[in-house]
Amino acid sequence: MLDLPVPPISRFHQLHYQDEPLLLPNAWDFATAAALVADGFPAIGTTSLGVAAAHGLPDEAGSTLHETLALAGALVRLPVPVTVDIESGFGADPRELAARLWDLGVAGVNVEDAVGDARAHADLVRGLKDGAPGLFVNARVDTYWLGRDHDTTLDRAHRYVDAGADGIFVPGAIRDDDITALVRAIPVPLNVLAQRPLAELASLGVKRVSTGSLLYRAALDAAVNAARTVRDGGRVEPATTYGDIATLIPTPPEED
């Protein structure tokens, strides 16, 4: 298995260089993120689908910059590192966006290529690192989702690493041989989706496992199922109490 060197930087970077993969749950609001932190998760990510859908906006349309920044500003109150899904950069200047997020206290970003122009995406990655060198830039390569070949995936991954990417995310990589080949060929931590048991992914050398939009979709199902149960005269299982949720929300700091 590839022995990855540990960069001498942030706690969030170091979470990618442990024996066990970083399991990163992706939240769409403060309360969900706070509940995950209370359950012991060492870092929190956001889900662009969850953020967009919660605001009645489409995902992957570059329309949630304001909502993403507002959520980031809230999540940094949590006592763990926060990484933000910025889709393909929202059309913003990557240096300015990275600097703004870094100033808020954000530890990392996830940025997707949607199999667009690889050179342009490498420039985006480079711009993010220029704007905030300490920011963990996780460059998503969408080739497996879109049925492109393995060599195309590696070419894009290497371009993004050369541009400064700290991690490579390949959603859709599920098979043993695909994951092993990616781990061996990519000189930074590999991130995949939580589509297999964590122990299996760990044995293959994966360093970060993201839930993506899974938690948001599961929460949507749970909400509809609870409402349906009430409508149909059934009994809903006990849920987190009002008081428990209230304890997750810290008192806002007093203004000077």
Side-chain angles (χ1 to χ4, degrees), residues 1-153:
M1 205 63 64
L2 185 64
D3 186 17
L4 299 173
V6 180
I9 26 185
S10 75
R11 176 163 59 124
F12 186 59
H13 281 75
Q14 293 184 359
L15 288 172
H16 294 76
Y17 291 86
Q18 303 180 116
D19 292 336
E20 295 297 318
L22 167 63
L23 177 56
L24 185 71
N26 299 89
W28 58 95
D29 64 7
F30 183 88
T32 304
L36 290 164
V37 171
D39 200 52
F41 288 91
I44 295 294
T46 66
T47 159
S48 65
L49 173 65
V51 173
H55 289 88
L57 296 169
D59 187 28
E60 299 183 345
S63 58
T64 56
L65 175 59
H66 173 76
E67 291 77 10
T68 298
L69 289 172
L71 179 58
L75 295 185
V76 294
R77 295 156 56 196
L78 296 169
V80 300
V82 171
T83 182
V84 174
D85 188 332
I86 60 170
E87 297 187 7
S88 296
F90 301 120
D93 181 290
R95 293 164 183 80
E96 293 178 2
L97 179 58
R100 188 170 180 182
L101 289 167
W102 185 255
D103 287 344
L104 284 175
V106 170
V109 294
N110 185 74
V111 59
E112 63 197 51
D113 72 355
V115 195
D117 184 80
R119 290 184 180 181
H121 195 67
D123 288 341
L124 176 57
V125 169
R126 188 174 294 107
L128 292 167
K129 292 300 290 186
D130 287 346
L135 198 68
F136 189 103
V137 175
N138 198 46
R140 197 178 95 182
V141 185
D142 290 342
T143 45
Y144 273 72
W145 265 350
L146 298 176
R148 303 297 178 87
D149 62 68
H150 180 74
D151 289 343
T152 299
T153 303

